[in-house]
Amino acid sequence: MRTPLSVVRRLAIPLALLLPVLAVGDPARAEPATPGSYPINASATLTTGRAFDTCTAPPISTLRAWKAADYHRVNIYFGGVNRGCAQPNLTGGWVAQATALGYLLIPTYFGRQPSCIFGTKPYRYTASTAAAYGASEANDAIAKSRALGIIPGSALYADVEHYDRTNASCVLAARRYVSAWTKTLHAGGFLAGVYVHQDSGLLNLSGVYTSTTYARPDAVWMARWDGNPSLVDWPTAPNSRWSFHQRAKQYRGDHDETWGGVTLNIDSDQFDAPVATVARPYTVTSASPLNGRSEPFTNAPVRRSYAPGSTIKVVCQGYGQRVGTSNVWNRVADGSWVSDSYVSTPSQTTFSPPLQRCIYPGQVTSGAALTARTGPSASHPPSGPPLPPGALAYVMCQRSGSAIGTSTVWNRLVDSRWVPDYHVANRSNTTWSAPVPRCP
């Protein structure tokens, strides 16, 4: 981040040092994978590739010039009492224009910091105040992100700067803050990300990855300025942790780059993780009013209708009943589903980039790796690598299948594999979990 990380140590820490600092007296939680509570207009956005972050959100003219670069993702500091830069450009209009240019946004909240951070940020928390601040700042992050047009299901990243990991009370404070941040964002329908240093935050969170005392964040964005963008073989977190499209790395710190004749001072990042979801405007092309339904099927109840030629904001796309030449349906910002056959998206037969698939992630809750299958039953053969505990299951839709635990519900993942819903953290492990649609 745009703080003095360059003056602190970046040591490779043996995995033996990942043992947690005991949090004596901390109130226990049921499990580390707290469920998300997505509203009907939610969807996550998953991205893989290079990103950059800079202190102040650049003017749209700069983003337009930087289209020549291989940076299609940009960080935004959208709130927090320790945010160090003014943000004159960062408005809802800027977010919409940046999205229209093809950028994906990484929302970062620079709130209070552990009391023992290396640096001069003035607003801090202790072990006794961390949970309250984690919750209140998460609520503030939700309000500020929504005001910018960032939709539930998005990942919001808490910036936790490098701190003294030998200070047990400070380690406890950081864990409590991130846990409260995570639970509060989940309750508000958002994914919880955290930006951490390799040798403090990442090490300490990895040490309590399976602990029932702390809620586990959905994604980690690690700082290690070694010039290597790899998202595996990190010294302070095993590959099995945050393993399924849940990692990002800031691999190069402050430096100038020039693209399209415009120079910025940036940090360079590699992402394979969830980021912000922003709705995109399209036109209704039907000759008569287009029905918006509660599910992507023509017999589902009508929620509302849209006039021919009107503009609707599309959040994401999913599978549904075939209408005309397409079985793609669009989820609109009000939560309704409309057939893509009557919307001016680029394709009338299949999915239309840059729109994302509609996905509703939940962490894997099983104690062992979860086998993914070719269909919704235990009799279907395994497919691809299993999902380790804590991995994000990127769920597109649900269907009945063989009973596992207390549920016959199975989840179809974005990669078309199937996992039993009983082992995925969402609203229910006995029945359907709104707003996930039924699979066609």
Side-chain angles (χ1 to χ4, degrees):
M1 291 299 165
R2 320 306 297 174
T3 53
L5 285 178
S6 58
V7 301
V8 299
R9 293 177 298 158
R10 288 171 176 78
L11 302 178
I13 305 301
L15 288 179
L17 293 182
L18 289 171
L19 294 175
V21 175
L22 295 179
V24 178
D26 237 15
R29 300 290 182 259
E31 59 184 17
T34 60
S37 183
Y38 299 116
I40 60 173
N41 66 335
S43 180
T45 292
L46 178 62
T47 189
T48 301
R50 290 212 304 165
F52 74 92
D53 59 271
T54 188
C55 198
T56 298
I60 291 298
S61 59
T62 297
L63 291 184
R64 190 173 291 111
W66 271 54
K67 288 286 288 180
D70 185 26
Y71 291 116
H72 299 151
R73 300 143 200 92
V74 57
N75 172 75
I76 53 171
Y77 290 98
F78 71 100
V81 293
N82 276 315
R83 183 174 63 174
C85 296
Q87 300 292 345
N89 302 315
L90 190 53
T91 64
W94 184 95
V95 166
Q97 290 180 72
T99 300
L101 283 173
Y103 285 94
L104 294 175
L105 306 180
I106 307 161
T108 304
Y109 188 90
F110 208 148
R112 286 171 175 82
Q113 297 296 306
S115 58
C116 62
I117 62 162
F118 299 113
T120 59
K121 292 300 180 183
Y123 301 100
R124 306 190 183 192
Y125 52 77
T126 63
S128 62
T129 61
Y133 279 132
S136 64
E137 294 193 342
N139 279 321
D140 184 54
I142 289 172
K144 283 183 166 57
S145 64
R146 296 190 74 152
L148 290 172
I150 295 172
I151 288 173
S154 299
L156 308 180
Y157 287 82
D159 186 325
V160 179
E161 292 293 317
H162 191 27
Y163 58 85
D164 181 4
R165 68 174 186 274
T166 67
N167 184 323
S169 178
C170 202
V171 170
L172 176 59
R175 286 172 171 163
R176 285 177 169 173
Y177 179 91
V178 172
S179 181
W181 168 268
T182 299
K183 288 183 292 182
T184 305
L185 288 187
H186 283 181
F190 287 78
L191 293 173
V194 60
Y195 169 90
V196 287
H197 193 276
Q198 170 190 269
D199 296 340
S200 54
L202 180 64
L203 185 152
N204 294 140
L205 292 177
S206 182
V208 291
Y209 186 84
T210 60
S211 168
T212 57
T213 301
Y214 304 99
R216 179 174 49 226
D218 301 296
V220 289
W221 179 7
M222 183 264 279
R224 187 189 190 195
W225 295 353
D226 59 359
N228 180 5
S230 176
L231 299 180
V232 297
D233 299 330
W234 291 353
T236 55
N239 289 336
S240 60
R241 297 179 179 178
W242 298 288
S243 64
F244 199 66
H245 308 296
Q246 295 166 272
R247 289 188 173 200
K249 181 179 178 181
Q250 187 182 82
Y251 61 88
R252 186 181 180 190
D254 303 305
H255 66 283
D256 288 344
E257 290 194 24
T258 302
W259 296 95
V262 179
T263 300
L264 283 177
N265 184 263
I266 67 167
D267 298 330
S268 297
D269 309 274
Q270 182 70 24
F271 261 75
D272 183 16
V275 291
T277 301
V278 179
R280 300 169 185 270
Y282 292 96
T283 301
V284 173
T285 61
S286 58
S288 57
L290 177 62
N291 287 327
R293 300 182 180 273
S294 61
E295 292 272 344
F297 303 96
T298 58
N299 61 352
V302 176
R303 301 178 64 90
R304 60 164 297 175
S305 62
Y306 309 93
S310 62
T311 298
I312 58 174
K313 290 190 174 182
V314 176
V315 173
C316 57
Q317 296 186 311
Y319 293 108
Q321 180 181 350
R322 179 170 292 277
V323 176
T325 59
S326 180
N327 64 349
V328 174
W329 284 61
N330 301 315
R331 185 145 230 169
V332 185
D334 63 16
S336 301
W337 291 92
V338 295
S339 169
D340 189 54
S341 292
Y342 302 111
V343 180
S344 66
T345 54
S347 175
Q348 299 301 303
T349 59
T350 186
F351 294 104
S352 295
L355 285 166
Q356 292 276 325
R357 306 291 193 274
C358 298
I359 45 178
Y360 309 92
Q363 292 185 23
V364 171
T365 60
S366 55
L370 180 61
T371 299
R373 301 184 179 275
T374 59
S377 77
S379 63
H380 282 85
S383 175
L387 279 63
L392 276 184
Y394 289 92
V395 177
M396 281 195 73
C397 59
Q398 296 183 318
R399 178 184 289 178
S400 293
S402 63
I404 302 292
T406 57
S407 180
T408 60
V409 175
W410 282 67
N411 299 320
R412 183 179 181 176
L413 304 181
V414 71
D415 60 11
S416 296
R417 299 186 296 161
W418 295 82
V419 294
D421 185 59
Y422 178 73
H423 292 301
V424 176
N426 53 32
R427 288 187 176 182
S428 175
N429 65 353
T430 60
T431 186
W432 313 104
S433 289
V436 183
R438 305 293 191 272
C439 298

